[in-house]
Amino acid sequence: RIMAFPTLRWYENGKAATPDYRGDRTVDALMEYVKKRGKNIERKKQEEQGVTSKDKYAANEFSEFEEEHHPGCLVAGHLMVNRVPGNFHMEARSVNHEINAAMTNLTHRVNDLSFGSTDPTSGHVLHMINRFSNVPEKFKHTNPMKDKFYPTYDYHEAWHHHMKVVSTHIDYLFSRGTVLYQILENSQVVYYPEESVPEIKFRFDMSPMSVNLTKEGRRWYEYLTSLLAIIGGTYTTLGLINATLLRIFKPKKI
C-alpha cells in the first residue's frame, strides 16, 4: 500500500521488502542503498545455507532492514512551555512528499506525555520514594495518556486533548524538594469541514493552585505524654466506675 508520493520501494522475488527507502534522493545515496540491499540478500542466502558471519558488526550493518515497518511517524522530544495556558498541534505536512493533508488519517498512540523534568539532578527523585512507587499508576495522574490509542475511522476528524496540569510539591528527607505535575485529561473527537486540514491538538492549562505534601514527625516526649495521658485517663475512669459500684451494692444499715 502506497501511503505517500513519491515512494521508493525495494522488491525481492516479486515481494515488497520493508521498510521503504527513507534516504536522500541523490545518485550516491541510492547507489549505497542498492549495495546494502545486495549485501543483505547475500547474507540471507548464507544463513539459509548454514553459513554465518563471524563479524560481530554484520548484524548492525543490516539492522535498518530488519525493523518493523509501519506507515506512521514517530514524534519524540520535549518542549519548553510557560506556566500559562497553551497548546501544540500536529498535522500532516511534508516537503518531500505530495499529500492531501485534508484527507489524512490522524490515528495515533501516545506512548508518553508528561510535564516536568525526570532528571534526578533537578530534584525529581520520585523513583527513590518507596511510598510513591507503591501507589498504583492510575492514581498518580502524572502520565494519564500513557500507551493510550486514539483511532479515527473517517476523514476530516481528529482527536483534541485537554489537560489540566496541577503542580505538586513533595518535601522528602534532605532533598531539595520534588516538583511533579499531575494531569487531569479529557479527550474528544472533533469534526472538520471538508476544506479544512484536521490536526491533533494538545491543550494544557496550568492550574493556579498547587498541592504541597510534607512529612511531619513527632518527638519522643510527645509519645510519652500521650501514653501517660491514656494511663491517667484509664485510672480515673476505673476509679469512677468502682465508686459507683460500691455505692450501688453497699449494704444498707437497718
Side-chain angles (χ1 to χ4, degrees), residues 70-128:
H70 57 83
C73 302
L74 178 62
V75 180
H78 66 274
L79 297 174
M80 301 295 293
V81 298
N82 297 321
R83 295 177 181 268
V84 295
N87 70 84
F88 57 94
H89 58 272
M90 302 178 187
E91 65 180 27
R93 182 174 299 180
S94 175
V95 296
N96 298 320
H97 300 83
E98 183 178 336
I99 59 176
N100 185 354
M103 300 291 289
T104 53
N105 186 307
L106 295 181
T107 295
H108 60 281
R109 180 190 301 277
V110 179
N111 295 319
D112 185 273
L113 178 59
S114 59
F115 287 76
S117 174
T118 56
D119 183 7
T121 60
S122 64
H124 196 287
V125 291
L126 287 181
H127 62 286
M128 299 172 59

Side-chain angles (χ1 to χ4, degrees), residues 10-254:
W10 181 273
Y11 284 84
E12 295 180 9
N13 299 323
K15 295 182 179 180
T18 57
D20 294 333
Y21 179 71
R22 306 174 189 168
D24 297 332
R25 262 61 168 177
T26 62
V27 176
D28 293 338
L30 291 171
M31 289 299 297
E32 183 66 23
Y33 177 77
V34 172
K35 291 179 181 179
K36 283 188 176 182
R37 277 293 187 181
K39 290 181 180 180
N40 189 45
I41 294 175
E42 292 295 329
R43 182 178 66 89
K44 289 182 178 179
K45 290 182 178 180
Q46 292 178 359
E47 290 179 352
E48 292 176 356
Q49 297 174 359
V51 180
T52 57
S53 174
K54 297 181 179 180
D55 186 1
K56 63 180 180 180
Y57 299 104
N60 292 334
E61 182 180 358
F62 304 104
S63 60
E64 61 179 297
F65 302 136
E66 305 299 333
E67 64 183 57
E68 182 181 357
H69 175 66
H70 57 83
C73 302
L74 178 62
V75 180
H78 66 274
L79 297 174
M80 301 295 293
V81 298
N82 297 321
R83 295 177 181 268
V84 295
N87 70 84
F88 57 94
H89 58 272
M90 302 178 187
E91 65 180 27
R93 182 174 299 180
S94 175
V95 296
N96 298 320
H97 300 83
E98 183 178 336
I99 59 176
N100 185 354
M103 300 291 289
T104 53
N105 186 307
L106 295 181
T107 295
H108 60 281
R109 180 190 301 277
V110 179
N111 295 319
D112 185 273
L113 178 59
S114 59
F115 287 76
S117 174
T118 56
D119 183 7
T121 60
S122 64
H124 196 287
V125 291
L126 287 181
H127 62 286
M128 299 172 59
I129 304 178
N130 293 330
R131 293 183 180 87
F132 191 84
S133 60
N134 294 331
V135 176
E137 194 68 33
K138 64 179 180 179
F139 295 123
K140 294 180 182 178
H141 297 292
T142 56
N143 197 356
M145 301 175 67
K146 183 177 181 180
D147 296 330
K148 285 190 177 180
F149 185 63
Y150 300 93
T152 55
Y153 302 101
D154 298 315
Y155 296 119
H156 314 296
E157 64 181 29
W159 284 87
H160 285 196
H161 308 283
H162 304 267
M163 297 172 287
K164 189 73 171 183
V165 185
V166 182
S167 61
T168 304
H169 303 262
I170 301 177
D171 293 332
Y172 184 73
L173 294 180
F174 304 104
S175 67
R176 293 174 295 173
T178 296
V179 180
L180 64 92
Y181 296 88
Q182 295 180 294
I183 304 172
L184 300 176
E185 174 263 341
N186 181 35
S187 301
Q188 61 181 0
V189 176
V190 176
Y191 300 92
Y192 287 78
E194 292 186 2
E195 64 276 6
S196 300
V197 177
E199 56 186 9
I200 306 170
K201 278 192 175 181
F202 296 86
R203 301 178 183 271
F204 57 89
D205 183 12
M206 307 296 291
S207 174
M209 302 181 64
S210 64
V211 179
N212 295 320
L213 299 179
T214 58
K215 181 180 179 181
E216 296 182 356
R218 298 182 64 184
R219 303 291 184 180
W220 64 270
Y221 51 79
E222 293 181 359
Y223 286 103
L224 181 59
T225 303
S226 299
L227 179 60
L228 294 177
I230 293 173
I231 295 174
T234 303
Y235 180 79
T236 303
T237 303
L238 292 176
L240 293 174
I241 294 174
N242 183 53
T244 303
L245 293 176
L246 287 175
R247 179 172 295 182
I248 295 174
F249 297 103
K250 184 179 180 179
K252 296 181 179 180
K253 296 181 180 180
I254 299 177

